[in-house]
């Protein structure tokens, strides 16, 4: 059985002094703290490699914050960044707005809130899982090819730099849990690592780590970001 691991990494903190729900908008870049997180996370994966991990493939969402989080990984691990539109942030009807809690109290926005199970305010959870899993499996297959070429005999590993909600619903699906959830209960902090361990095409284990836990108390927390 071919073994592999796909690590789903959330991007670092974004410079966002206005508290905008930035979604897929361009020109939202990492803050100074976010760049520090990205560098620390790259060192975490370098330590894994030093311990024998066969990390062979790196992919990032096309959004600025994901690309900038991936760059220290590319520099540290000597990997090129492949860009995959399928692991982009979820669509959200409130994209570009600030003060989201007050917006939700406005009657004109209530039609977007009628079905939290779908959810009605954005891209359906099911579709997020489908596109994310397609990206995960393509990365897994390529990592296996690259790992076999290296002939090291260890599980091949790929890193995908993505966004909180798509990562979280992918984890829920991998753990056979329902996709609708309370956003406040997501276990997917900035630069966290959600790892999917595969035997062949089957997910045998899900692991979670926070390489930048010491930096999180300093970070801004924008819902949906």
């Amino acid at each position: 059985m071919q073994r592999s691991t796909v690590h789903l990494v959330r991007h670092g903190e974004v410079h966002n002094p206005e508290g905008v729900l930035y979604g897929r908008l361009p020109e939202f870049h990492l803050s100074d703290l976010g760049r520090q997180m990205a560098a620390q996370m790259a060192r975490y994966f370098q330590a894994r490699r030093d311990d024998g991990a066969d990390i062979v493939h790196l992919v990032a969402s096309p959004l600025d914050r994901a690309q900038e989080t991936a760059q220290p990984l590319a520099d540290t691990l000597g990997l090129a960044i492949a860009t995959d539109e399928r692991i982009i942030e979820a669509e959200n009807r409130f994209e570009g707005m600030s003060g989201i809690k007050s917006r939700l109290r406005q009657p004109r926005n209530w039609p977007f809130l009628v079905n939290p199970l779908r959810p009605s305010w954005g891209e359906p959870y099911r579709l997020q899982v489908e596109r994310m899993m397609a990206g995960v499996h393509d990365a897994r297959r390529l990592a296996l090819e690259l790992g076999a070429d290296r002939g090291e005999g260890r599980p091949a590993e790929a890193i995908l730099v993505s966004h909180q909600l798509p990562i979280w619903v992918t984890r829920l699906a991998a753990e056979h849990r329902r996709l609708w959830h309370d956003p406040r209960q997501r276990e997917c902090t900035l630069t966290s690592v959600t790892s999917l361990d595969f035997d062949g095409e089957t997910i045998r284990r899900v692991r979670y780590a926070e390489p930048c836990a010491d930096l999180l108390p300093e970070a801004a927390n924008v819902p949906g970001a």
Side-chain angles (χ1 to χ4, degrees), residues 197-210:
D197 293 330
F198 286 87
D199 280 335
E201 297 185 358
T202 302
I203 298 173
R204 62 180 176 84
R205 183 174 61 166
V206 178
R207 294 177 287 124
Y208 179 77
E210 294 181 350

Side-chain angles (χ1 to χ4, degrees), residues 145-199:
E145 292 175 11
L146 294 170
D149 289 344
R150 292 153 63 105
E152 297 183 0
R154 295 189 295 269
E157 302 190 16
I159 301 170
L160 275 59
V161 183
S162 185
H163 308 270
Q164 187 191 61
L165 177 53
I167 292 173
W168 179 243
V169 294
T170 300
R171 175 177 171 179
L172 292 177
E175 295 178 332
H176 306 290
R177 292 194 273 165
R178 69 184 186 217
L179 300 184
W180 62 271
H181 60 278
D182 182 343
R184 297 169 296 182
Q185 302 303 314
R186 294 174 190 160
E187 188 180 39
C188 188
T189 61
L190 294 164
T191 53
S192 60
V193 181
T194 299
S195 301
L196 308 179
D197 293 330
F198 286 87
D199 280 335

Side-chain angles (χ1 to χ4, degrees), residues 73-85:
L73 283 165
D75 296 340
T76 299
L77 301 174
L79 298 173
I81 301 172
T83 299
D84 191 338
E85 294 275 353

Side-chain angles (χ1 to χ4, degrees), residues 103-151:
R103 304 272 186 175
L104 299 182
R105 292 193 288 268
Q106 297 173 358
R108 68 174 178 271
N109 290 322
W110 291 350
F112 299 139
L113 307 177
V114 295
N115 185 3
L117 307 187
R118 184 178 181 267
S120 51
W121 57 81
E123 182 182 11
Y125 297 136
R126 175 181 55 82
L127 296 183
Q128 292 179 53
V129 171
E130 288 176 2
R131 62 177 172 82
M132 286 287 291
M133 280 298 190
V136 164
H137 280 288
D138 280 354
R140 176 187 60 79
R141 284 188 285 266
L142 183 52
L144 284 169
E145 292 175 11
L146 294 170
D149 289 344
R150 292 153 63 105

